[in-house]
C-alpha cells in the first residue's frame, strides 16, 4: 500500500515543527515519530532518512518561494514596487512555511556544506542577486537614496523580514499582507513623524 500524500504532508509538517524547535542535530527520528503518533520504524515507510525528511521540507519551501519570487521579478515592476512585492511574498511564505523558514535560518549555513543540500547555496546566491539587483536599480533610478550602502540595506531588509518566523503564528491578529505593509512602511518611509 502506498502512503497517502496527505499523510506524507502531515508527517513533514510535524517533522518541520520538531526540527524548528529542537534543531536538526538534536532531533531524532524517534522524536519525530513520537510527535506524529507512530513508531520510529514506521517513519521509514514514508522517508529514507532524517536527512531525507529535512531535504524535502527545505526543497519544497524553496521551490514555492522561488515560484513567487520569480513571478515578482518577471512582472516588470519598478524597483520600489518590486521590493514591496518581494517583502509581501516573503511574509506569505512565512505564513505558509514558518517552521521551514526557521529551520532554514538556523541550519542552512551548516547544511550547505553537505552535497545533498548544495541547492541552499545556489538559492542564497539567487536570493542575494534578486534583492541587490533591485536595490541597485532603485538607486540608479533615483527611487532610493544614492548614499545607501546597498549590501547593508539588503542585509537589514532580509534579516528584518525573515526573523519574523521566530514570532509569527499563522492565523494571528494580522495577515501576512498587513504585516508586510507595516514593515514596508517602516523600511521605506521610516518611523519618524514627517514635518
Amino acid at each position: 500500500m502506498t502512503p497517502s500524500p496527505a499523510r506524507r504532508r502531515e508527517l513533514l509538517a510535524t517533522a518541520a515543527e520538531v526540527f524548528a524547535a529542537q534543531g536538526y542535530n538534536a532531533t531524532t527520528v524517534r522524536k519525530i515519530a513520537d510527535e506524529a503518533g507512530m513508531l520510529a520504524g514506521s517513519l521509514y515507510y514514508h522517508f529514507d532518512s532524517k536527512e531525507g525528511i529535512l531535504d524535502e521540507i527545505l526543497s519544497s519551501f524553496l521551490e514555492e518561494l522561488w515560484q513567487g519570487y520569480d513571478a515578482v521579478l518577471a512582472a516588470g515592476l519598478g524597483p520600489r514596487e518590486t521590493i514591496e512585492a518581494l517583502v509581501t511574498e516573503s511574509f506569505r511564505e512565512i505564513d505558509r512555511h514558518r517552521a521551514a523558514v526557521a529551520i532554514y535560518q538556523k541550519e542552512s549555513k551548516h547544511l550547505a556544506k553537505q552535497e545533498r543540500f548544495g541547492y541552499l547555496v545556489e538559492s542564497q546566491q539567487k536570493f542575494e542577486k534578486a534583492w541587490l539587483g533591485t536595490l541597485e536599480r532603485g538607486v540608479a533610478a533615483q527611487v532610493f537614496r544614492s548614499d545607501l550602502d546597498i549590501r547593508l540595506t539588503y542585509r537589514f531588509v532580509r534579516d528584518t523580514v525573515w526573523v519574523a518566523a521566530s514570532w509569527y503564528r499563522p492565523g494571528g491578529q494580522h495577515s501576512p499582507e498587513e504585516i508586510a505593509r507595516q514593515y514596508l512602511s517602516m523600511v521605506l518611509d521610516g518611523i519618524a513623524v514627517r514635518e
Side-chain angles (χ1 to χ4, degrees):
M1 193 166 83
T2 305
S4 76
R7 180 61 172 152
R8 187 177 183 87
R9 284 191 301 274
E10 183 182 302
L11 292 172
L12 286 168
T14 299
E17 290 296 334
V18 176
F19 286 139
Q22 296 189 348
Y24 176 69
N25 288 332
T27 298
T28 63
V29 171
R30 180 179 303 280
K31 177 63 176 168
I32 296 169
D34 287 349
E35 291 295 319
M38 64 194 312
L39 298 172
S42 299
L43 203 55
Y44 290 108
Y45 178 64
H46 300 273
F47 305 99
D48 66 344
S49 64
K50 181 175 92 163
E51 185 178 71
I53 297 170
L54 183 63
D55 185 12
E56 193 165 334
I57 291 166
L58 291 176
S59 63
S60 297
F61 153 62
L62 289 172
E63 182 179 321
E64 191 172 313
L65 173 75
W66 280 108
Q67 285 173 357
Y69 270 26
D70 287 341
V72 167
L73 296 169
L77 302 171
R80 182 180 174 119
E81 294 76 18
T82 300
I83 292 289
E84 290 170 345
L86 289 173
V87 167
T88 302
E89 189 60 35
S90 298
F91 277 107
R92 288 180 181 139
E93 286 305 312
I94 292 169
D95 183 60
R96 288 188 286 254
H97 299 286
R98 185 201 54 77
V101 172
I103 296 163
Y104 181 84
Q105 288 181 312
K106 290 180 198 172
E107 308 285 354
S108 63
K109 196 175 272 190
H110 160 73
L111 291 170
K113 297 172 186 168
Q114 299 176 34
E115 188 175 334
R116 183 172 192 161
F117 293 97
Y119 62 86
L120 296 175
V121 174
E122 294 165 19
S123 184
Q124 180 57 39
Q125 291 168 345
K126 187 177 175 185
F127 189 85
E128 190 170 295
K129 182 179 177 186
W131 284 82
L132 289 174
T134 302
L135 290 167
E136 288 167 356
R137 261 192 324 126
V139 169
Q142 298 181 343
V143 173
F144 303 139
R145 294 187 345 235
S146 61
D147 65 332
L148 289 181
D149 179 314
I150 297 297
R151 189 161 289 280
L152 185 60
T153 304
Y154 154 68
R155 287 180 178 145
F156 172 77
V157 174
R158 176 197 66 195
D159 293 350
T160 300
V161 169
W162 291 107
V163 77
S166 67
W167 57 261
Y168 178 81
R169 294 297 174 263
Q173 182 178 357
H174 300 292
S175 70
E177 294 78 11
E178 173 60 19
I179 295 171
R181 190 186 68 70
Q182 290 283 338
Y183 266 58
L184 285 162
S185 173
M186 289 182 277
V187 168
L188 296 173
D189 301 321
I191 61 170
V193 173
R194 302 211 177 263
E195 296 295 326

